[in-house]
């Protein structure tokens, strides 16, 4: 009986190892990842060293900078001008009041400069995200861990109060990252 159980377990492990993700599946997953990453709800805060978040494409028009002349500077929290926490209160909330500043259970801030991608085309962002030297030291696994743990990412998919959200969910994005990673992170 033990031999039969061992053979079944070995067979299951071998079958799991035979499962491969094709390059085509990886590229399709990347297209879905890019649809999320380039969505204004995500990309408007993924800005470069200038630290100017945007309100682009969220009902405010095209090329619209964040109100109140916000500049996050090197601190990424606006310490040199108006700190993000001036409006974005650190408190978990369902964000049900339209046009109120969003709140999450973490101190509001912009992502690190190494994760800036506002306006980048798919191939450029793909090359950046698959390279830990250019994406704040993340491999695919740590990107997935970040997605699943970040209150910012969770809020982005459920921003409340009639705000636009990117397609999918945190979990579908994590699944697409798994597929993309298993396909050896193809870009084109």
């Amino acid at each position: 009986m033990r031999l039969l159980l061992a053979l079944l377990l070995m067979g299951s492990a071998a079958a799991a190892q035979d499962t491969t993700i094709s390059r085509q599946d990886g590229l399709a997953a990347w297209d879905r990842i890019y649809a999320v990453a380039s969505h204004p709800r995500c990309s408007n805060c993924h800005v470069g060293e200038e630290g100017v978040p945007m309100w682009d494409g969220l009902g405010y028009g095209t090329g619209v900078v964040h109100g109140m002349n916000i500049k996050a500077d090197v601190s990424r929290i606006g310490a040199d001008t108006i700190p993000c926490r001036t409006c974005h209160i650190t408190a978990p909330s369902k964000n049900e009041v339209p046009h109120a500043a969003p709140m999450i259970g973490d101190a509001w801030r912009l992502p690190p400069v190494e994760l800036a991608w506002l306006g980048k085309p798919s191939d450029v962002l793909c090359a950046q995200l698959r390279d830990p030297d250019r994406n704040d030291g993340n491999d695919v696994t740590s990107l997935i861990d970040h997605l699943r743990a970040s209150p910012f990412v969770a809020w982005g998919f459920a921003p409340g109060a009639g705000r636009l959200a990117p397609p999918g969910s945190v979990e579908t994005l994590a699944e697409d990252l798994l597929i993309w990673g298993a396909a050896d992170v193809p870009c084109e």
Side-chain angles (χ1 to χ4, degrees), residues 20 36 42 45 51 58 68 84 106 110 119 130 138 144 146 148 158 171 175 184:
T20 57
V36 172
C42 300
C45 289
L58 296 173
M68 288 70 73
C84 302
D106 198 351
L110 294 181
R130 72 180 182 182
N138 293 292
I144 293 168
H146 164 69
R148 289 180 170 153
E171 201 48 45
E175 290 168 11
D184 201 27

Side-chain angles (χ1 to χ4, degrees), residues 108-128:
W108 207 272
R109 63 193 171 278
L110 294 181
V113 172
E114 296 82 3
L115 292 174
W117 63 64
L118 177 67
K120 290 185 179 178
S122 176
D123 61 329
V124 173
L125 179 56
C126 184
Q128 176 185 343

Side-chain angles (χ1 to χ4, degrees), residues 3-188:
L3 178 60
L4 179 59
L5 181 58
L7 288 172
L8 284 172
L9 289 173
M10 287 173 40
S12 297
Q17 290 174 354
D18 286 342
T19 303
T20 57
I21 304 295
S22 72
R23 178 175 176 75
Q24 182 177 355
D25 289 341
L27 288 170
W30 170 254
D31 286 344
R32 293 187 298 273
I33 294 164
Y34 185 72
V36 172
S38 63
H39 187 278
R41 181 64 60 214
C42 300
S43 64
N44 281 344
C45 289
H46 282 269
V47 297
E49 290 180 15
E50 69 284 352
V52 178
M54 302 294 287
W55 280 352
D56 190 35
L58 296 173
Y60 299 98
T62 303
V64 178
V65 299
H66 189 294
M68 288 70 73
N69 198 28
I70 299 298
K71 185 171 181 183
D73 306 307
V74 256
S75 69
R76 306 306 278 175
I77 62 167
D80 296 340
T81 57
I82 300 173
C84 302
R85 70 178 178 272
T86 302
C87 299
H88 297 277
I89 300 164
T90 302
S93 172
K94 292 183 180 179
N95 294 292
E96 294 173 340
V97 178
H99 308 294
M103 297 183 287
I104 61 169
D106 198 351
W108 207 272
R109 63 193 171 278
L110 294 181
V113 172
E114 296 82 3
L115 292 174
W117 63 64
L118 177 67
K120 290 185 179 178
S122 176
D123 61 329
V124 173
L125 179 56
C126 184
Q128 176 185 343
L129 286 184
R130 72 180 182 182
D131 181 358
D133 291 336
R134 296 174 46 215
N135 74 12
D136 202 31
N138 293 292
D139 60 12
V140 171
T141 301
S142 59
L143 286 171
I144 293 168
D145 291 345
H146 164 69
L147 291 175
R148 289 180 170 153
S150 170
F152 295 97
V153 175
W155 174 82
F157 280 101
R163 295 180 175 103
L164 296 174
S169 66
V170 171
E171 201 48 45
T172 58
L173 181 57
E175 290 168 11
D176 282 334
L177 276 165
L178 278 170
I179 293 167
W180 182 58
D184 201 27
V185 293
C187 289
E188 27 180 317

